[in-house]
Amino acid sequence: MYKFIKNLFHQCIMYKILTLLGIKMKIGISSCLIGNLCRYDGAHSKDAFVFNVLQKYFEIVPYCPEHMIFGSPRETIRLVRNAEDVKVTTSKGQK
């Protein structure tokens, strides 16, 4: 997989031009995938491919819309469908 991605990037004209100029393209990545502690449980979901490979080729722009809205750590939030409704439930009960 790594060799495939590497070859794909190297064949991209835009990538070649930006590389010659010393510029990396920006790519938005979920903050938890690069190791930031922003998940609902205060942990991360660090992904080796994102962290070790993509950072070599892109300027990573981390974001987490959930963290901005709900904060972390927070209680677990789930959508639960029953007969006719969809309700929001949390680890502390129904909302």
Side-chain angles (χ1 to χ4, degrees):
M1 180 70 158
Y2 171 76
K3 287 181 181 179
F4 171 77
I5 301 270
K6 185 177 179 182
N7 290 334
L8 182 64
F9 289 147
H10 286 281
Q11 292 173 11
C12 174
I13 293 171
M14 180 61 80
Y15 174 79
K16 287 182 179 184
I17 293 169
L18 293 174
T19 301
L20 288 172
L21 296 173
I23 300 170
K24 290 183 177 181
M25 290 188 283
K26 291 182 180 180
I27 184 171
I29 298 287
S30 181
S31 290
C32 64
L33 293 178
I34 62 170
N36 292 336
L37 304 174
C38 63
R39 285 175 27 124
Y40 72 93
D41 58 0
H44 64 79
S45 294
K46 188 173 181 180
D47 182 272
F49 177 76
V50 171
F51 192 77
N52 298 323
V53 178
L54 290 184
Q55 283 194 129
K56 292 179 184 178
Y57 302 100
F58 294 99
E59 178 183 339
I60 302 295
V61 179
Y63 71 96
C64 183
E66 238 184 277
H67 180 71
M68 292 186 285
I69 296 168
F70 301 114
S72 67
R74 63 167 169 79
E75 57 190 298
T76 306
I77 299 172
R78 302 214 190 291
L79 294 176
V80 178
R81 181 184 305 262
N82 56 23
E84 298 174 6
D85 296 333
V86 175
K87 298 195 180 208
V88 175
T89 61
T90 69
S91 53
K92 294 181 181 176
Q94 188 171 326
K95 298 283 182 183

